[in-house]
Amino acid sequence: MVVNAAPGEAGGPQIEITVAGEANGTVTVELFENLAPEHAARIVTLAEEGAYDGVVFHRVIDGFMAQTGDVEFGKAGGDMRRAGTGGSQYPDLPAEFSQESFEAGTVGMARSQSPDSANSQFFIMFEPAPHLDGAYTVVGRVIEGMDVVNEIKRGDGPNGAVVGAPDVMQSVRVIEE
């Protein structure tokens, strides 16, 4: 499904992510409920439940993106070899593709090979990635704290896996609906 929103119509609830580790600070993300209503609602639900609290940035590729949101296997102190393989207690979501471009600060939903496999994981772009346009759901954008995002500990393991102590989302709260 491809949805397009007029300028100013993409915004929705905001979440505040408190990051700790090599990066320390707060990141505010505006969710695009008009572009990706099911994905935005999923992030809000998981944030309200506290499911994202303590989840690590398990895959971070310099010049590309930082991935987090594995509420099943991505909790700090867990088996990091499994981080990135889980989802949530909720079913996977159908793709909500749009014409929004993946630019620095764009928040997209992570998925497997199937376009309809996004669940709880998301990623924040460090740089533009036009090869993702129209192939991954854009769910929001960073509106404050991109300096914090840019400091997130980079991975150096296979496929950007963070080795050692990854940065963590200490808390994720809905601040505006």
Side-chain angles (χ1 to χ4, degrees), residues 57-123:
F57 287 89
H58 64 273
R59 181 173 178 244
V60 184
I61 301 173
D62 194 39
F64 184 37
M65 60 87 215
Q67 185 170 328
T68 186
D70 183 347
V71 302
E72 186 175 7
F73 300 121
K75 294 282 186 178
D79 183 352
M80 287 299 101
R81 294 173 296 183
R82 297 194 69 191
T85 64
S88 72
Q89 65 183 343
Y90 302 107
D92 290 348
L93 296 166
E96 294 177 300
F97 297 150
S98 68
Q99 297 301 314
E100 291 293 312
S101 297
F102 279 88
E103 304 290 335
T106 298
V107 179
M109 292 299 288
R111 63 173 176 80
S112 67
Q113 292 279 0
S114 168
D116 298 327
S117 62
N119 190 294
S120 63
Q121 295 184 49
F122 59 91
F123 55 90

Side-chain angles (χ1 to χ4, degrees), residues 110-173:
R111 63 173 176 80
S112 67
Q113 292 279 0
S114 168
D116 298 327
S117 62
N119 190 294
S120 63
Q121 295 184 49
F122 59 91
F123 55 90
I124 304 171
M125 302 303 301
F126 293 126
E127 302 288 337
H131 66 281
L132 300 180
D133 293 355
Y136 285 78
T137 297
V138 172
V139 71
R141 72 170 166 243
V142 173
I143 57 173
E144 289 180 36
M146 196 61 199
D147 57 327
V148 177
V149 171
N150 287 328
E151 295 300 317
I152 293 172
K153 181 179 181 179
R154 302 313 200 253
D156 55 10
N159 202 21
V162 179
V163 178
D167 284 7
V168 62
M169 295 191 294
Q170 282 187 314
S171 68
V172 180
R173 299 286 172 260

